[in-house]
Amino acid sequence: MSDEAPWLVVGLGNPGKEYAGNRHNVGFMVADLLASRVGAKFGRAKRAQTEVAEGRLANSGGFSGGPKVILLKPLTYMNLSGAPVVALSQFFKVPVAHVIAVHDELDVPYGQVRAKRGGGEGGHNGLRSMSKSLASKEYARVRVGIGRPPGRQDPADYVLADFSSAERKELDFLVDRAADVTEAIVLEGVEWAQNKYHGV
């Protein structure tokens, strides 16, 4: 696999204003921040039901001209996210090892971010769809912690609710950290990102 191959960063979420502030949409929020960091704007893809933005990260020395990154926000709703991911990965010739899913994670406490490669989907429909469509689970994941619902609240209702007012005070910081972890995976690898960010 060539290190020159581009990276495909998939922010998982649901399209539409009614979902914009949901916990389930934190992947979209991170994708938007990454686009602003690389000076790119999202536009509708011709080849797939998705919004896409392209840019280059600064390399690890802080200079421009680092790895090419394609940012993706599927417009298919969460449980059908895999189809546009496959379409764009094939078009841009992105190997599975260069695909990163950025998603909300119930099993990580709110405010924390975890990086991993492969593994199960933990009941996350967006990841399930990606794994099925890619015929592989060996893509990287940026797991953005939203914590477990309080009391007996249904997890499905919890993820489709907006962040609480208390959570919103920390949300910018959380999205910023998730973007940092995503960049670290591209520039240095999953293991490096784990060593840097998992202790904080």
Side-chain angles (χ1 to χ4, degrees):
M1 180 185 71
S2 169
D3 283 341
E4 296 299 310
W7 288 78
L8 188 66
V9 177
V10 184
L12 289 174
N14 287 310
K17 289 180 181 175
E18 66 271 35
Y19 298 106
N22 289 180
R23 294 182 180 93
H24 222 21
N25 270 40
V26 74
F28 275 16
M29 298 173 197
V30 176
D32 286 338
L33 177 58
L34 286 166
S36 70
R37 286 186 180 185
V38 300
K41 283 190 165 56
F42 277 98
R44 185 68 183 262
K46 294 189 180 76
R47 297 162 201 88
Q49 206 174 343
T50 184
E51 288 190 346
V52 65
E54 298 175 54
R56 286 190 179 273
L57 295 183
N59 60 29
S60 49
F63 301 102
S64 59
K68 181 176 180 179
V69 175
I70 299 125
L71 302 164
L72 190 63
K73 293 193 296 183
L75 300 177
T76 50
Y77 293 97
M78 188 70 83
N79 58 357
L80 298 172
S81 300
V85 174
V86 167
L88 272 290
S89 67
Q90 290 174 346
F91 179 80
F92 287 105
K93 297 180 172 58
V94 180
V96 169
H98 275 210
V99 176
I100 304 173
V102 184
H103 64 93
D104 57 305
E105 178 56 71
L106 289 163
D107 291 327
V108 173
Y110 181 77
Q112 296 182 19
V113 181
R114 296 284 178 266
K116 68 182 277 195
R117 181 176 295 285
E121 292 92 9
H124 195 291
N125 289 333
L127 295 179
R128 194 176 288 151
S129 178
M130 280 185 60
S131 297
K132 184 177 179 183
S133 294
L134 290 167
S136 174
K137 298 184 179 187
E138 292 307 306
Y139 52 91
R141 296 103 186 273
V142 175
R143 305 164 72 212
V144 186
I146 61 169
R148 283 273 164 193
R152 298 187 176 196
Q153 186 179 6
D154 183 344
D157 294 335
Y158 177 72
V159 299
L160 289 174
D162 286 358
F163 287 98
S164 69
S165 56
E167 288 171 336
R168 281 198 295 273
K169 291 175 182 171
E170 303 294 326
L171 184 56
D172 286 349
F173 175 78
L174 177 60
V175 170
D176 195 60
R177 174 166 297 240
D180 288 346
V181 172
T182 306
E183 290 188 2
I185 291 172
V186 172
L187 295 171
E188 306 289 353
V190 170
E191 204 171 307
W192 190 94
Q194 289 171 334
N195 290 335
K196 180 170 175 65
Y197 289 102
H198 283 201
V200 290

